[in-house]
Amino acid sequence: MKIAALIPARFASTRLPEKLIQDLHGKSVIQRTYQSTLETGLFDEVWVVTDHDQIQAQVDAIGGNVFRSQKEHESGSDRIAEALSKVDADVVINVQGDEPFQDKQSLEDLVKVFQNSSIRVASLKTKISEDEAHNPNFVKVVTDKNGDALYFSRSPIPYNRDKIRDLFYWKHIGIYAYRRETLLEYTGMGKSELEGIEMLEQLRMLESGIKIRMVETQHQPIAIDTAEDLARARRLLDMD
């Protein structure tokens, strides 16, 4: 089974302009994401999939693989699906380009579930408190007894009607792993109703009957979305 990590890297960003080429102690965000993914040693190939010259130049500078997307895309999944015209892999991991510190154990656990031939898509979840669950920027997930997602929401789910004090919630960590044919099938669908309401692309899969196996992780990734996130990442590197 050939496994590839594909890193969608869109240049435009709203809250932190040009965030993927921001400096993190001598390397850019996208360079650190690429290298930390490669250094896990889990993948046959690692590619950055981008729409922009500057990001391509950053990856070229460290000898990385770049696929230049030719189309406009609404999501990272759509972007990496285009790259499958060049990348030959049975399982594709969608690594977020703005997460420069990839965790080997989490990615390894994600890859392992594909030893089960019935698994088509997998993703990560981690425990959070009820207070954190009320943050709409944290996507919550509930699962069935097999660990497959029942629903994702920006609202706290499940609803704590009886005010159970020790209730915890599952936060969705947005790294996806797909079988090749499932990624192509999914990205060929139109946007679904629930996806449009919650603005969560994974709901398109659930609405179409594609199961998503959720894998627990203790790792809390640092995503570079704001200037404060960038400062926090720099402080983390100062501690090394």
Side-chain angles (χ1 to χ4, degrees), residues 87 139 153:
V87 179
V139 177
S153 183

Side-chain angles (χ1 to χ4, degrees), residues 5-35:
L6 273 63
I7 306 170
R10 188 167 63 96
F11 185 75
S13 52
T14 303
R15 288 185 286 177
L16 180 61
E18 303 179 0
K19 67 179 181 180
L20 294 185
I21 62 171
Q22 295 296 316
D23 178 70
L24 280 178
H25 285 210
K27 296 179 182 177
S28 67
V29 172
I30 191 60
Q31 286 175 330
R32 288 196 177 274
T33 301
Y34 181 90
Q35 290 184 326

Side-chain angles (χ1 to χ4, degrees), residues 28-199:
S28 67
V29 172
I30 191 60
Q31 286 175 330
R32 288 196 177 274
T33 301
Y34 181 90
Q35 290 184 326
S36 65
T37 304
L38 187 67
E39 287 166 3
T40 65
L42 296 171
F43 305 110
D44 296 290
E45 297 182 32
V46 178
W47 289 78
V48 169
V49 185
T50 189
D51 61 351
H52 203 274
D53 289 342
Q54 290 190 56
I55 293 177
Q56 180 171 353
Q58 292 280 313
V59 181
D60 285 341
I62 57 173
N65 297 317
V66 181
F67 179 90
R68 190 64 179 266
S69 58
Q70 301 300 312
K71 303 175 183 177
E72 293 292 327
H73 296 291
E74 288 192 13
S75 72
S77 298
D78 293 317
R79 191 176 300 281
I80 66 172
E82 183 189 350
L84 294 184
S85 63
K86 185 171 184 178
V87 179
D88 180 24
D90 302 297
V91 173
V92 177
I93 313 298
N94 180 352
V95 175
Q96 303 300 311
D98 60 3
E99 295 182 3
F101 310 116
Q102 292 299 313
D103 178 59
K104 179 177 180 178
Q105 187 62 59
S106 298
L107 293 173
E108 186 172 11
D109 291 343
L110 196 58
V111 166
K112 280 181 179 177
V113 303
F114 288 90
Q115 294 172 4
N116 180 339
S117 60
S118 69
I119 303 298
R120 300 175 65 191
V121 182
S123 193
L124 297 171
K125 64 179 182 178
T126 191
K127 290 179 182 178
I128 58 172
S129 68
E130 185 164 6
D131 286 343
E132 291 174 302
H134 284 276
N135 183 342
N137 294 318
F138 290 172
V139 177
K140 278 68 65 177
V141 61
V142 288
T143 63
D144 65 18
K145 292 181 179 180
N146 295 319
D148 293 325
L150 290 169
Y151 193 66
F152 298 87
S153 183
R154 297 186 183 278
S155 298
I157 51 174
Y159 175 67
N160 190 8
R161 191 195 71 167
D162 294 330
K163 305 300 180 185
I164 300 169
R165 289 189 178 182
D166 58 351
L167 184 68
F168 63 85
Y169 294 78
W170 290 107
K171 175 186 174 182
H172 178 219
I173 305 294
I175 296 177
Y176 295 93
Y178 307 90
R179 292 198 188 274
R180 179 189 186 93
E181 60 274 12
T182 303
L183 175 58
L184 292 172
E185 176 188 348
Y186 156 62
T187 55
M189 301 172 182
K191 182 179 286 189
S192 68
E193 182 178 1
L194 290 174
E195 175 188 6
I197 294 169
E198 294 254 20
M199 294 307 295

